[in-house]
């Protein structure tokens, strides 16, 4: 008879109450922003909007810099008024939450983000999105397999 309160709705929708979603109960300590190979990042920058990039030819650290570059090339730190160091921490947090699986790993999620960027750019879709939609597209691509256990489901 009474509508649920906000707090009861929050409790009902809290995925943390579902055991299989509590894989990282402990906080992750983020490493400092890594150094990069300037020549490798320069090589990667030329490929960010193409379908010719192979992330496995780059180091994990260089991919952090290239992920940041995707956001910067779209001017998202300025457009969204989010400081660059917050983008850096976001990227590092995603990397730290990726397991060392043969396929569902940091290289894979970077590849999905870069491919989404290349496809959205080459089709003109990126130009039709506002800044928040661009951020949503790229961050969803980057985060889509966070903490993937690396096993297939039965269905």
């Amino acid at each position: 008879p009474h509508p649920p309160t906000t707090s009861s709705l929050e409790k009902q929708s809290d995925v943390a109450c579902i055991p299989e979603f509590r894989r990282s109960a402990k906080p992750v300590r983020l490493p400092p922003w890594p150094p990069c190979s300037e020549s490798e990042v320069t090589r990667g920058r030329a490929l960010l909007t193409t379908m010719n990039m192979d992330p496995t030819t780059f180091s994990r650290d260089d991919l952090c810099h290239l992920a940041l570059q995707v956001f910067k090339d779209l001017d998202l730190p300025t457009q969204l008024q989010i400081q660059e160091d917050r983008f850096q921490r976001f990227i590092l947090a995603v990397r730290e939450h990726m397991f060392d699986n043969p396929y569902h790993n940091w290289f894979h999620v970077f590849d999905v983000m870069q491919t989404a960027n290349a496809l959205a750019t080459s089709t003109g879709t990126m130009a039709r999105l506002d800044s928040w939609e661009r951020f949503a597209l790229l961050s969803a691509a980057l985060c889509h397999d966070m903490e993937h256990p690396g096993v297939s489901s039965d269905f």
Side-chain angles (χ1 to χ4, degrees), residues 45-91:
R45 280 192 73 183
L47 299 169
L48 287 176
T49 57
T50 74
M51 296 300 292
N52 300 319
M53 185 171 210
D54 178 0
T56 63
T57 66
F58 295 88
S59 74
R60 289 170 38 89
D61 290 346
D62 290 343
L63 290 180
C64 287
H65 287 265
L66 290 168
L68 178 62
Q69 194 61 52
V70 171
F71 290 119
K72 289 171 62 173
D73 285 350
L74 294 168
D75 200 29
L76 293 180
T78 301
Q79 293 292 317
L80 302 178
Q81 299 179 347
I82 299 173
Q83 293 182 0
E84 190 174 307
D85 68 312
R86 295 193 75 175
F87 277 93
Q88 290 174 343
R89 289 194 307 273
F90 169 65
I91 292 164

Side-chain angles (χ1 to χ4, degrees), residues 8-70:
S8 65
L9 285 175
E10 288 170 356
K11 288 178 187 172
Q12 290 171 10
S13 66
D14 184 5
V15 294
C17 68
I18 303 170
E20 59 268 27
F21 285 100
R22 281 190 264 148
R23 292 185 200 155
S24 291
K26 63 180 184 194
V28 173
R29 182 178 296 275
L30 295 180
W33 187 246
C36 70
S37 164
E38 291 296 332
S39 62
E40 286 298 287
V41 170
T42 299
R43 177 175 71 89
R45 280 192 73 183
L47 299 169
L48 287 176
T49 57
T50 74
M51 296 300 292
N52 300 319
M53 185 171 210
D54 178 0
T56 63
T57 66
F58 295 88
S59 74
R60 289 170 38 89
D61 290 346
D62 290 343
L63 290 180
C64 287
H65 287 265
L66 290 168
L68 178 62
Q69 194 61 52
V70 171

